[in-house]
Amino acid sequence: MQGGYRLQQIASKKDLQKPVLSIITIVYNGAPFIERTLKSVTEQTYANIEYIVIDGASRDNTLDIIKNYQNNIALWQSEKDKGIYDAMNKGLQLATGDFVLFMNAGDCFYHPSTVESIFYENSLADIYYGDALVVDNENKSLGPRRLRPPEVLTWKSFRMGMLVCHQSFIVKRSIAPLYNLNYKIAADIDWCISCMKNAQQIKNTHLFISRYLAGGASWQNLKKALAERFEIMHNHYGLLSTIGSHIIIALRIITQKIRGTKFTN
């Protein structure tokens, strides 16, 4: 099942001088949170947005909510998938924009003019990144993510953790690989590192880009998340470096758990 204005041969490119940003939202049974995301994306002031929504055949009224916004959605699709990263790959394969960004159910842009601010000046950057504000289920601020983006970001920056969440990570589509489905929880870390390895220029926007919903699979499946992170870092950074950094990461996560705080990478 699918819908959206792309099926009517309507293009998302309105300003010929600006790039098209494909924003991809993944959702399954997200009725309590999906509307805040749909509203945030469709209210962006930037003209060249291609919005793609991938629903995993939700059993609640998620699809009804999506259909209420379909005049502003380039393409929505609802079918069963093999998990979140399979759904994200579907979004990537359907995207046609110059850049891609994942903004999943419950996540929002920091401000209606965020995308316009990022692309205000023409740039040759392959990746744009920024900060994220953590919010609760009621969309109330819990403050910035504990791991803050560095002034200069490279593929080596993630040795000590995911310093930039994918909701604040805009990538040129031509350098973005598909997610590795061998990872069930931490494939986004592997994906971001792979994107940065492929990038020639990475630009710090010095902006809060997203409002990131706290919680998630990594916190709920802590041991598996740590095992996947170790394997990913081992593959990218080597064994000795990974052992040292992973001990620090593990201690940091355990400390968070003891304090009763949510794991936000």
Side-chain angles (χ1 to χ4, degrees):
M1 186 183 302
Q2 61 181 1
Y5 62 74
R6 186 197 287 182
L7 300 181
Q8 303 173 38
Q9 307 302 312
I10 298 174
S12 296
K13 193 173 185 68
K14 306 297 189 296
D15 184 343
L16 297 179
Q17 305 303 315
K18 298 291 184 180
V20 174
L21 173 62
S22 293
I23 301 173
I24 303 168
T25 291
I26 305 304
V27 59
Y28 176 68
N29 289 343
F33 308 113
I34 185 62
E35 189 160 23
R36 78 166 71 158
T37 305
L38 294 167
K39 191 170 186 290
S40 174
V41 174
T42 57
E43 288 183 349
Q44 283 295 298
T45 58
Y46 188 72
N48 291 356
I49 287 179
E50 174 188 66
Y51 193 20
I52 295 172
V53 181
I54 306 297
D55 172 58
S58 292
R59 298 181 179 181
D60 59 8
N61 66 328
T62 292
L63 189 55
D64 293 330
I65 298 171
I66 292 170
K67 289 179 179 178
N68 289 335
Y69 288 82
Q70 66 180 344
N71 289 339
N72 293 309
I73 296 174
L75 187 67
W76 61 262
Q77 185 179 87
S78 182
E79 63 181 22
K80 291 184 179 180
D81 55 55
K82 298 176 183 178
I84 184 170
Y85 296 121
D86 178 49
M88 292 170 94
N89 281 344
K90 288 181 181 181
L92 279 173
Q93 291 169 320
L94 291 170
T96 65
D98 301 290
F99 292 85
V100 294
L101 169 69
F102 286 93
M103 193 69 70
N104 293 338
D107 302 323
C108 304
F109 282 102
Y110 185 74
H111 190 273
S113 64
T114 295
V115 177
E116 187 171 7
S117 297
I118 292 169
F119 292 123
Y120 177 74
E121 296 181 356
N122 289 328
S123 172
L124 298 178
D126 298 307
I127 294 174
Y128 298 86
Y129 71 96
D131 216 331
L133 189 73
V134 182
V135 297
D136 63 15
N137 290 347
E138 284 71 46
N139 205 22
K140 294 179 181 178
S141 172
L142 300 176
R145 287 177 80 242
R146 187 184 49 77
L147 292 182
R148 306 296 295 278
E151 180 63 28
V152 177
L153 182 71
T154 74
W155 69 271
K156 296 180 180 180
S157 300
F158 278 23
R159 289 176 186 269
M160 300 306 298
M162 194 172 179
L163 300 182
V164 181
C165 63
H166 67 245
Q167 294 89 339
S168 295
F169 192 80
I170 298 174
V171 183
K172 186 177 288 185
R173 186 170 60 88
S174 60
I175 67 168
L178 294 177
Y179 284 81
N180 187 337
L181 298 185
N182 291 324
Y183 303 122
K184 306 303 181 184
I185 297 175
D188 51 343
I189 300 175
D190 177 69
W191 185 79
C192 287
I193 295 172
S194 297
C195 288
M196 289 187 284
K197 282 185 171 181
N198 293 333
Q200 296 293 318
Q201 182 177 351
I202 301 175
K203 182 176 180 179
N204 187 349
T205 65
H206 298 99
L207 297 171
F208 276 88
I209 293 178
S210 64
R211 298 171 65 88
Y212 165 74
L213 182 62
S218 294
W219 178 253
Q220 297 165 12
N221 302 276
L222 188 56
K223 290 183 179 179
K224 186 172 180 58
L226 286 173
E228 286 193 3
R229 284 165 177 257
F230 187 91
E231 182 178 343
I232 290 167
M233 292 184 179
H234 181 195
N235 291 340
H236 287 289
Y237 303 129
L239 180 59
L240 292 179
S241 175
T242 299
I243 290 174
S245 62
H246 221 72
I247 289 173
I248 297 174
I249 292 171
L251 291 173
R252 187 177 67 205
I253 295 172
I254 291 169
T255 300
Q256 282 185 273
K257 190 172 183 181
I258 291 173
R259 292 176 178 175
T261 56
K262 292 289 187 180
F263 177 45
T264 56
N265 296 309

Coordinates of all heavy atoms in Angstrom, one line a residue, residues 69-98:
Y69 N -1.6 13.7 6.2 CA -0.6 14.6 5.7 C -0.1 14.3 4.3 O 0.9 14.8 3.9 CB 0.6 14.5 6.7 CG 0.4 15.2 8.0 CD1 -0.3 14.5 9.0 CD2 0.8 16.4 8.3 CE1 -0.6 15.1 10.3 CE2 0.6 17.0 9.5 CZ -0.1 16.3 10.5 OH -0.4 16.9 11.7
Q70 N -0.7 13.4 3.6 CA -0.2 12.9 2.4 C 0.0 13.9 1.3 O 0.7 13.7 0.3 CB -1.0 11.7 1.9 CG -2.4 11.9 1.5 CD -3.0 10.6 1.0 OE1 -2.4 9.6 0.7 NE2 -4.4 10.6 0.9
N71 N -0.7 15.0 1.3 CA -0.6 16.1 0.3 C 0.8 16.7 0.4 O 1.3 17.3 -0.6 CB -1.6 17.2 0.5 CG -3.0 16.7 0.1 OD1 -3.1 15.7 -0.7 ND2 -4.0 17.4 0.5
N72 N 1.5 16.5 1.6 CA 2.8 17.1 1.8 C 3.9 16.0 1.8 O 5.0 16.2 2.2 CB 2.9 17.9 3.0 CG 2.1 19.2 2.9 OD1 2.2 19.9 2.0 ND2 1.2 19.4 3.9
I73 N 3.5 14.7 1.5 CA 4.4 13.6 1.5 C 4.7 13.1 0.1 O 3.7 12.9 -0.6 CB 3.8 12.4 2.4 CG1 3.7 12.9 3.8 CG2 4.7 11.2 2.3 CD1 3.0 11.8 4.7
A74 N 5.9 13.1 -0.3 CA 6.2 12.7 -1.7 C 5.8 11.2 -1.9 O 5.2 10.9 -2.9 CB 7.7 12.8 -1.9
L75 N 6.1 10.4 -0.9 CA 5.8 9.0 -1.0 C 5.7 8.3 0.3 O 6.6 8.5 1.2 CB 6.8 8.2 -1.9 CG 6.5 6.8 -2.2 CD1 5.3 6.7 -3.2 CD2 7.7 6.1 -2.8
W76 N 4.6 7.7 0.6 CA 4.5 6.8 1.8 C 4.2 5.4 1.4 O 3.6 5.1 0.4 CB 3.4 7.3 2.8 CG 2.0 7.4 2.3 CD1 1.3 8.4 1.8 CD2 1.1 6.2 2.3 NE1 0.0 8.1 1.4 CE2 -0.1 6.7 1.7 CE3 1.2 4.9 2.6 CZ2 -1.3 5.9 1.5 CZ3 0.0 4.1 2.5 CH2 -1.1 4.6 1.9
Q77 N 4.7 4.5 2.2 CA 4.6 3.1 1.9 C 4.3 2.3 3.2 O 4.8 2.6 4.3 CB 5.9 2.6 1.3 CG 5.9 1.1 0.8 CD 7.2 0.7 0.2 OE1 8.1 0.3 1.0 NE2 7.3 0.9 -1.1
S78 N 3.4 1.4 3.2 CA 3.0 0.6 4.3 C 3.0 -0.9 4.0 O 2.2 -1.4 3.2 CB 1.6 1.0 4.9 OG 1.3 0.3 6.0
E79 N 4.0 -1.6 4.6 CA 4.1 -3.0 4.4 C 5.0 -3.6 5.5 O 5.8 -2.9 6.1 CB 4.7 -3.3 3.0 CG 6.1 -2.8 2.8 CD 6.7 -3.1 1.4 OE1 5.9 -3.3 0.5 OE2 7.9 -3.1 1.3
K80 N 5.0 -4.9 5.6 CA 5.8 -5.5 6.6 C 7.3 -5.4 6.2 O 7.6 -5.4 5.1 CB 5.4 -7.0 6.8 CG 4.0 -7.2 7.5 CD 3.7 -8.7 7.7 CE 2.4 -8.8 8.4 NZ 2.1 -10.3 8.6
D81 N 8.1 -5.3 7.3 CA 9.6 -5.3 7.0 C 10.3 -6.2 8.0 O 9.6 -6.9 8.8 CB 10.1 -3.9 7.1 CG 9.7 -3.2 8.5 OD1 10.1 -3.8 9.5 OD2 9.1 -2.2 8.5
K82 N 11.6 -6.3 7.9 CA 12.4 -7.2 8.7 C 13.1 -6.4 9.8 O 14.1 -6.9 10.4 CB 13.4 -7.9 7.8 CG 12.8 -8.7 6.7 CD 13.9 -9.3 5.8 CE 13.3 -10.1 4.6 NZ 14.3 -10.7 3.7
G83 N 12.5 -5.3 10.2 CA 13.1 -4.6 11.3 C 13.4 -3.1 10.9 O 13.3 -2.8 9.7
I84 N 13.9 -2.3 11.8 CA 14.1 -0.9 11.6 C 15.1 -0.6 10.5 O 14.8 0.3 9.6 CB 14.4 -0.1 12.9 CG1 14.5 1.4 12.6 CG2 15.7 -0.7 13.5 CD1 14.7 2.2 13.9
Y85 N 16.2 -1.3 10.4 CA 17.2 -1.0 9.4 C 16.8 -1.5 8.0 O 17.2 -0.9 7.0 CB 18.5 -1.6 9.9 CG 19.0 -0.9 11.1 CD1 19.3 -1.7 12.3 CD2 19.2 0.5 11.2 CE1 19.7 -1.1 13.5 CE2 19.6 1.1 12.4 CZ 19.9 0.3 13.5 OH 20.3 0.9 14.7
D86 N 16.0 -2.5 8.0 CA 15.4 -2.9 6.7 C 14.5 -1.8 6.2 O 14.5 -1.5 5.0 CB 14.7 -4.3 6.8 CG 14.0 -4.7 5.5 OD1 14.7 -4.7 4.5 OD2 12.8 -5.1 5.6
A87 N 13.7 -1.3 7.1 CA 12.8 -0.2 6.7 C 13.6 1.1 6.3 O 13.2 1.8 5.3 CB 11.9 0.1 7.9
M88 N 14.7 1.3 7.0 CA 15.5 2.5 6.6 C 16.1 2.3 5.2 O 16.2 3.2 4.5 CB 16.5 2.7 7.7 CG 15.9 3.2 9.0 SD 17.1 3.2 10.4 CE 17.6 4.9 10.4
N89 N 16.5 1.1 4.9 CA 17.1 0.8 3.6 C 16.0 1.0 2.5 O 16.3 1.5 1.4 CB 17.6 -0.6 3.5 CG 19.0 -0.8 4.2 OD1 19.7 0.2 4.4 ND2 19.4 -2.0 4.4
K90 N 14.8 0.6 2.8 CA 13.7 0.9 1.9 C 13.6 2.4 1.6 O 13.4 2.8 0.4 CB 12.3 0.3 2.4 CG 12.2 -1.2 2.4 CD 10.9 -1.6 3.0 CE 10.8 -3.1 3.0 NZ 9.4 -3.6 3.5
G91 N 13.6 3.2 2.7 CA 13.6 4.6 2.5 C 14.7 5.1 1.6 O 14.5 6.0 0.7
L92 N 15.9 4.7 1.9 CA 17.1 5.1 1.1 C 16.9 4.7 -0.4 O 17.2 5.5 -1.3 CB 18.4 4.4 1.6 CG 19.0 5.0 2.9 CD1 20.2 4.2 3.4 CD2 19.6 6.4 2.5
Q93 N 16.4 3.6 -0.6 CA 16.2 3.1 -2.0 C 15.1 3.9 -2.7 O 15.1 3.9 -4.0 CB 16.0 1.6 -2.0 CG 17.2 0.8 -1.6 CD 16.9 -0.7 -1.4 OE1 15.8 -1.0 -0.8 NE2 17.8 -1.6 -1.8
L94 N 14.2 4.4 -2.0 CA 13.1 5.2 -2.6 C 13.5 6.7 -2.7 O 12.8 7.4 -3.5 CB 11.8 5.1 -1.8 CG 11.2 3.7 -1.8 CD1 10.0 3.6 -0.8 CD2 10.6 3.4 -3.2
A95 N 14.5 7.1 -2.0 CA 14.9 8.5 -2.0 C 15.5 8.9 -3.4 O 16.3 8.2 -4.0 CB 15.8 8.8 -0.9
T96 N 15.2 10.2 -3.8 CA 15.8 10.7 -5.0 C 16.5 12.0 -4.8 O 17.0 12.6 -5.8 CB 14.7 10.8 -6.1 OG1 13.8 11.8 -5.7 CG2 14.0 9.5 -6.4
G97 N 16.5 12.5 -3.6 CA 17.1 13.8 -3.3 C 18.6 13.8 -3.4 O 19.2 12.8 -3.5
D98 N 19.1 15.0 -3.3 CA 20.6 15.2 -3.3 C 21.2 14.8 -1.9 O 22.3 14.3 -1.9 CB 21.0 16.7 -3.5 CG 20.4 17.2 -4.9 OD1 20.9 16.7 -5.9 OD2 19.5 18.0 -4.8

